[in-house]
Amino acid sequence: MLTTNLLHADDGLDDGPSVSPSLHQSVNYIARDVKHLAEITAPMASEYYTRRGNPTSARLAKVIADLEGGETGMIFASGMGAIATTLMAFVQNGDHIVGQQSHYIGITEMLDKVLPRYGVTATRVDQTRVEAFERAIQPNTKLIVLETPVNPLLHLTDLRAVCDLAKSHGILTCCDSTFATSVNQRPMDFGVDIVLHSATKYIGGHHDLLAGSVTASRALVERIWDLSVTTGATAAPFNAWLALRGIRTLELRVLRQNETGLALARFLEEHPRVERVFYPGLPSHPQHELARRQMSGFGGLVTFDLKGGYSAGLAFIEKLRLAVYATSLGGVSSTVVQPAALFGNRLHDDVLVKQGITPGLIRFAAGIENTDDLIADVGQALGP
Ligand SMILES: *Cc1c(COP(=O)(O)O)cnc(C)c1O
């Protein structure tokens, strides 16, 4: 069902005879006459000037909107292009945002540093506690920013509970659903207004493009589109085309990654060299019940804490033969990082530990390699 829709959601959008979608590598489009010119310059029309829209990007946006159960959407040059533009589109000087203690670093920067420069304040709360969101709401709160699951410990946010709360206060909600993917989680089913993805990750899925997506009602997307025309973080058509190719296999890849994620998490939880495993699919995850209510699969991201700390982490990564030592996630190849090493030169140890980034913490992002091969490799790298 899902993959069938993935392949057919954009049927009829492109009239050419090719089986593969056309790449509209064009900045501008020819108006037939003045009446047609009025049509193609309408908001979100995709055949006038590519900063305002592009047929290849529109096609990708339609496939994503179909997956998410949303009305429409648009594609950006990167996940951050989508997120920054969305946040800015709904606030002005004097407004307030509620966000989470843990977010993708770019969202944290927006909330803590960028928006305050323009008179927009933000309160970041413990996402695992609905009442913390409630307490943070002020009369001038315009937006609640959600992200679930989130780095580093794969905490979840109760989307239904927070969205009910937001609705009762007339506050808009947006959710970065990158880690979950549209296969494992549909935030709109729980009341989220705007769904954001870094398409760079699972949607693209092949480590070769940067893109971002927004899905929402037509009225909300138009408002974001309106600002995007000015900020110009529009996707390159070629990247949208690559992402369109990538997304056709999203379900196949994510189902494999779910299988590997769960098997790896179970394997690690039993392993004597592992202190603790963080994975929403394990009963030991403090929000496992919520994960089962809100997600249909638990993903390929597994975080775990090695006994032996920092040096054990370095040694483990060095011994891995399949997963590559690289940032990012969601592509066909498994990637592994040690968060303390990523942030080590920018933050003090106590700050890291407060965020749950212990020295021996490892983030393993499964690719689509064979599950047993990946587990055998992790096993040999952990040592006897
Ligand atoms: C990577 C990522 C982003 C940013 O996406 P880019 O495409 O790199 O700009 C935002 N949110 C999450 C959860 C991410 O993993």
Side-chain angles (χ1 to χ4, degrees):
M1 176 86 172
L2 204 145
T3 293
T4 310
N5 289 349
L6 265 171
L7 290 164
H8 292 283
D10 55 332
D11 281 356
L13 272 194
D14 204 320
D15 298 326
S18 62
V19 174
S20 162
S22 307
L23 166 57
H24 290 264
Q25 189 70 31
S26 182
V27 168
N28 43 1
Y29 291 82
I30 300 165
R32 286 192 301 274
D33 53 35
V34 71
K35 183 170 163 287
H36 185 221
L37 182 71
E39 277 168 32
I40 63 181
T41 53
M44 292 176 62
S46 58
E47 293 185 356
Y48 174 58
Y49 188 76
T50 283
R51 176 156 41 75
R52 297 170 61 94
N54 173 278
T56 307
S57 298
R59 203 166 166 159
L60 173 63
K62 182 155 201 291
V63 176
I64 296 173
D66 181 81
L67 277 183
E68 291 290 346
E71 192 178 356
T72 188
M74 65 173 292
I75 306 301
F76 284 84
S78 66
M80 278 318 301
I83 292 163
T85 309
T86 299
L87 297 188
M88 288 190 291
F90 296 101
V91 288
Q92 61 185 33
N93 187 3
D95 287 345
H96 175 254
I97 298 178
V98 177
Q100 305 178 169
Q101 248 154 36
S102 297
H103 269 303
Y104 180 72
I105 180 84
I107 299 181
T108 303
E109 295 278 306
M110 281 298 292
L111 298 181
D112 287 1
K113 289 196 191 148
V114 180
L115 291 170
R117 298 218 310 263
Y118 304 96
V120 176
T121 52
T123 308
R124 298 201 287 122
V125 303
D126 178 353
Q127 76 193 91
T128 64
R129 293 171 51 227
V130 177
E131 66 279 11
F133 286 92
E134 183 155 33
R135 235 178 295 123
I137 291 173
Q138 303 176 3
N140 58 342
T141 304
K142 291 287 154 57
L143 187 64
I144 299 183
V145 181
L146 306 169
E147 181 178 348
T148 181
V150 70
N151 260 339
L153 302 184
L154 303 176
H155 286 136
L156 309 183
T157 311
D158 187 333
L159 293 175
R160 169 99 61 205
V162 177
C163 289
D164 284 352
L165 177 71
K167 279 193 178 39
S168 71
H169 286 82
I171 299 168
L172 218 52
T173 49
C174 65
C175 179
D176 182 335
S177 197
T178 301
F179 278 15
T181 78
S182 326
V183 174
N184 288 334
Q185 174 175 287
R186 296 215 316 175
M188 286 183 163
D189 292 348
F190 305 100
V192 168
D193 296 306
I194 304 164
V195 179
L196 303 158
H197 282 283
S198 167
T200 310
K201 313 294 165 52
Y202 292 94
I203 290 174
H206 293 74
H207 314 276
D208 53 10
L209 67 94
L210 272 176
S213 76
V214 165
T215 304
S217 68
R218 169 97 196 178
L220 293 180
V221 176
E222 257 189 39
R223 184 136 163 208
I224 298 164
W225 174 86
D226 197 54
L227 179 61
S228 81
V229 169
T230 304
T231 55
T234 324
F238 182 58
N239 283 6
W241 185 85
L242 280 175
L244 192 52
R245 168 159 126 160
I247 202 172
R248 305 296 190 189
T249 55
L250 182 71
E251 186 187 27
L252 295 179
R253 287 183 282 108
V254 170
L255 291 181
R256 167 63 70 89
Q257 285 158 327
N258 287 346
E259 182 190 323
T260 300
L262 187 58
L264 184 62
R266 286 179 175 150
F267 171 78
L268 290 166
E269 196 160 53
E270 296 299 315
H271 201 285
R273 299 249 159 127
V274 176
E275 183 68 41
R276 194 162 164 203
V277 183
F278 303 88
Y279 186 73
L282 288 180
S284 61
H285 187 285
Q287 295 170 291
H288 180 59
E289 280 313 307
L290 173 61
R292 289 165 54 107
R293 278 206 305 279
Q294 182 166 287
M295 305 176 76
S296 55
F298 308 111
L301 269 182
V302 184
T303 302
F304 54 101
D305 199 11
L306 283 179
K307 289 179 184 161
Y310 196 76
S311 57
L314 288 181
F316 167 73
I317 289 175
E318 219 163 83
K319 285 196 207 121
L320 283 173
R321 296 188 191 116
L322 296 178
V324 293
Y325 186 30
T327 190
S328 201
L329 58 126
V332 290
S333 299
S334 296
T335 56
V336 64
V337 290
Q338 190 174 7
L342 275 182
F343 297 113
N345 49 2
R346 278 195 277 147
L347 296 169
H348 295 297
D349 279 2
D350 52 335
V351 178
L352 291 177
V353 171
K354 214 174 128 203
Q355 293 180 4
I357 303 176
T358 48
L361 201 71
I362 300 287
R363 183 184 82 184
F364 193 99
I368 60 167
E369 298 91 340
N370 180 280
T371 301
D372 295 337
D373 292 343
L374 279 178
I375 291 179
D377 190 35
V378 167
Q380 69 75 25
L382 284 172

